[in-house]
Each structure stands twice: as structure tokens, then as C-alpha cells.
Amino acid sequence: MLNRRLLRTKAVQALYARQLTADANRLLALDQIEEAFAPDLNSMEFQDKKKLGGMKRLANMTLDEFIKNGKPNEDEELPDRVLRVARTAYEAYNRQTNADGEKLVRRVLNETETIYVDFIRILSMLIELSHQAKIDRERRYEDPEAPFPKDSGLDTNRVIKVLQEDKPLEEEIIRSGINWTNEMNLIRKIYREGLRKDETYEAYCKSASHTPEEDQEIIQHILRQIILKHEVSLEYLEQRDLYWADHSELIRSLAIKTLRTADLANTFQLAPLTKDWEEDRAFVEELCKIVVKESDQYDIYLEDQLKNWELERIALVDLIILKTALAELIHFPGIPVKVTINEFIEIAKRYSTPKSGKFVNGVLDVLSVKLAKEGVIRKSGRGLIDNK
């Protein structure tokens, strides 16, 4: 079932991508300023290139003040034209960055929902492989140099029959848009190069009858060793999902749990992706929204903690992980401090540099104690657990 670590990871991914788009949007804003102060070659009036260049540099600095503080430096009196151009460029930058940020959050949430589609796809793949097994067993002529036992096969398996006859699964396959018509070559290749060459499956096919335990055991074996490990099927799944490395463990867990219920039709049940998708969605959206809103304040906390560091020297992923952790520590009172710290340490270990786990751990350990003493972090309910 969907866990909070994956949701936290999705928030970090969305915020990281947002920062990259913000940097790109800043470059576009600088281009807009440069165009505004470019000499007008069609004008009959004298174009003072030195003056225009100075105004451009001033407008660039003003843009960065807008981006950092939301307003220009009030201690400096700016020419109206410089202020107007810088403000227009900033408004375009801000509008586009906010739109991009919302789009990126939606994208990572959509990616999360596709985990369930891939889970259904794998169950559907098992059914298609059983059809190939049936065709193989019904074939009159067999290669004498590579005979294959036909006493039974995947098509005679009890678990497969439950999958084939289950209406909710059939509806999910249709709803998910899963159709193998144009990908039968892939199914045949997985069957031919994966299933038929597997010694465990070959041994299974030598017996005409099987116990329910044996049927369950071979299905679990095919799932784990063929579909999720064989190079043909694995390459296909990885190409379909750019985040397969993140999603595969959850998909595997959903499939294992579901197949274990498929010994009988009346016990079969599709494992849910989550207990409450709307709650999970709201968690990611709120986490991202808080980080964007409170980013400047978090810079202050971090600058105070990292007095010997410049924030620019910190890896961008680490900086985003720290800010996302701060958002959770401060604004989610029901989540224990240690849970938050441990979760973001693991995210840092996986997605950043080899030393990032220790770095994030050290910063958050000290900062969480400091902010708790100042009353910035206040826990309640379950959030009070394991805070020692």
C-alpha cells in the first residue's frame, strides 16, 4: 500500500523540478529585460548604448530583488523605466513559475496514480501469458530437439482462472486502457524466452494435477522471477514508467498481496493503492504549497544553522529536502519529529550525494531541537510519540 515516504519523495521531486523551471523562467525574464533595453536600430534618435547597458544591469539586479523579496530595494531610487521593465519581467516570471509549480505537482500525483495501472497491467500480463501457454499446449507439432512438457501449464492454474473470471479485474483492465493487441510480440517473447526456459515452470508443467499451494507457489514465482526480473519484461516496464525504480517495490507488493487472495474466487480481492487517495493527494499538495510559501523563512533558519556555509554551496536536492522536512516538522503537528527526520534522511541517501544522509541528519537534529525550544515546532497527538 502507498506509503508516506513515496509521497514525500514525490513532493521533493515536484519542488526540485519547480526550482529548475524557476531558474529557466528567470533567464527568460532577463532576456525580456535585455530586449527592452536593446538599441532601437530604426529610431532616428541617438541610442546611448552605454546608458542602455547600465539601465539593463540595474533592471537585472532589480528583477533579482523582486524574486528574492517580492519588491525592489527601497533604499535605492530607480528610474521609472527601469522599475517598470523589471516589474513587468518579474510578473511574467512569477506567473509562469507558479503555473509551472502547480503543473508539476499535478504531474507527480498523476505519476503516483499510474502505479495502480502498472499493477493491473502485471495481472493482465499473467492472463496473457496463460493464453500463450494454452496455445503452446494445443500445438500439434513440437520441436523434437527442445520438447516441452504439456501435462499442465499456466492456463490450467487455479489462480489464473480466478483472475480470468473476475469481473472487477476485467473492468479495471478496460478502465486502465490496457490492451495487448499491438504488443503480442512482447507477450510471446516473454513466454518463449522467460517462461519456457524457466526450470521451475518446466517442472510444474510435467505434472497433470497440482495442489492449491503448488498453483499459488508457481504464480508467485512467475511474478517475482519472470515478470519483475526477466530482461524482456523488465525493460518493457521500465520504458513505460520513468520512475519504475521508485514504484516497483510497491507494485510488487500489491501484486503479491492480491495473488495470495486468488486461491478461490470468493476470497479474491484487488489490493488498494491507498486507504485514502484524497488524503494522500492533499498531503503532497499541502507540503509543496508550504515549502513555496515559507521558503524565505526556511532560508533564515538554515543560514543561522549553517553559519559556515553559503546556501549556494549546498546541493539543490539537499536544500529542497531540508526545506520539505522543515515544512513537515513545523506544519504537521501529528507527525513525530523522529519520523520526519528519519524519512528525509532515507530520501537524501537515495536521491542525493553519498554524504547527504549524514548532512541532513545533522542539520535537522540540531535545528528541530532549537525550533522546538523556540516554540516554532509544536507537536500534538501522535506527533508527541518518540520525540526523545
Side-chain angles (χ1 to χ4, degrees), residues 143-283:
D143 183 353
E145 295 183 4
F148 194 81
K150 297 185 177 182
D151 297 278
S152 67
L154 191 57
D155 57 307
T156 65
N157 185 280
R158 290 178 179 85
V159 175
I160 288 295
K161 289 182 177 180
V162 170
L163 297 183
Q164 289 173 329
E165 295 169 5
D166 189 72
K167 290 298 180 184
L169 174 57
E170 181 183 354
E171 291 169 2
E172 284 294 342
I173 291 172
I174 294 170
R175 187 180 297 114
S176 300
I178 299 169
N179 189 322
W180 298 99
T181 303
N182 296 324
E183 295 179 296
M184 288 311 298
N185 285 337
L186 170 74
I187 296 297
R188 294 188 191 102
K189 192 173 183 181
I190 295 171
Y191 177 78
R192 186 174 61 252
E193 297 182 13
L195 211 53
R196 273 194 52 139
K197 292 183 179 179
D198 184 77
E199 292 180 359
T200 303
Y201 178 66
E202 183 177 0
Y204 173 86
C205 294
K206 289 179 179 178
S207 178
S209 61
H210 300 279
T211 65
E213 290 76 20
E214 289 172 337
D215 278 350
Q216 180 66 230
E217 186 177 334
I218 193 64
I219 288 297
Q220 293 288 344
H221 173 78
I222 292 170
L223 169 71
R224 300 176 197 218
Q225 301 302 321
I226 306 299
I227 292 179
L228 295 178
K229 280 193 176 179
H230 193 274
E231 59 182 0
V232 176
S233 51
L234 188 56
E235 181 182 1
Y236 167 76
L237 293 168
E238 287 174 340
Q239 287 178 348
R240 289 199 63 89
D241 184 355
L242 294 175
Y243 296 96
W244 176 257
D246 296 338
H247 300 164
S248 59
E249 190 59 37
L250 176 55
I251 292 169
R252 177 179 179 273
S253 175
L254 290 171
I256 289 172
K257 184 176 180 180
T258 296
L259 292 171
R260 281 177 178 162
T261 71
D263 294 327
L264 298 169
N266 61 354
T267 64
F268 179 65
Q269 186 174 8
L270 291 170
L273 175 62
T274 173
K275 288 182 179 179
D276 190 338
W277 172 240
E278 291 307 313
E279 180 182 323
D280 291 338
R281 173 188 286 273
F283 174 75

Side-chain angles (χ1 to χ4, degrees), residues 335-348:
I335 301 177
V337 167
K338 289 298 181 185
V339 169
T340 298
I341 293 176
N342 290 338
E343 287 290 281
F344 282 98
I345 288 171
E346 292 304 314
I347 292 172

Side-chain angles (χ1 to χ4, degrees), residues 17-122:
R18 185 186 191 278
Q19 185 56 56
L20 295 182
T21 61
D23 292 342
N25 291 334
R26 176 181 173 275
L27 294 178
L28 291 174
L30 291 174
D31 288 343
Q32 186 176 337
I33 290 172
E34 183 170 6
E35 185 178 344
F37 291 108
D40 186 354
L41 301 180
N42 296 319
S43 175
M44 299 298 294
E45 296 180 4
F46 171 69
Q47 300 293 298
D48 190 336
K49 293 183 180 181
K50 186 176 180 179
K51 181 180 178 182
L52 288 170
M55 294 175 75
K56 183 189 78 171
R57 288 189 294 273
L58 195 55
N60 288 345
M61 289 188 289
T62 305
L63 170 67
D64 286 337
E65 286 290 334
F66 269 119
I67 292 173
K68 184 177 181 180
N69 303 313
K71 59 183 180 180
N73 188 345
E74 296 178 350
D75 295 333
E76 186 175 356
E77 189 172 343
L78 298 169
D80 289 343
R81 186 181 175 188
V82 167
L83 185 58
R84 185 174 66 255
V85 169
R87 179 177 281 111
T88 300
Y90 169 69
E91 288 172 351
Y93 158 88
N94 199 43
R95 185 167 54 251
Q96 188 60 51
T97 298
N98 288 335
D100 290 341
E102 292 173 3
K103 194 181 299 181
L104 289 164
V105 172
R106 288 197 300 271
R107 190 186 75 182
V108 299
L109 288 170
N110 290 338
E111 287 167 0
T112 307
E113 287 187 285
T114 61
I115 292 172
Y116 194 76
V117 175
D118 284 337
F119 153 60
I120 297 296
R121 191 185 311 281
I122 282 173

Side-chain angles (χ1 to χ4, degrees), residues 2-19:
L2 190 59
N3 58 56
R4 282 293 172 97
R5 181 176 299 171
L6 182 57
L7 294 173
R8 291 178 176 99
T9 299
K10 291 300 178 185
V12 169
Q13 288 174 347
L15 290 164
Y16 179 80
R18 185 186 191 278
Q19 185 56 56

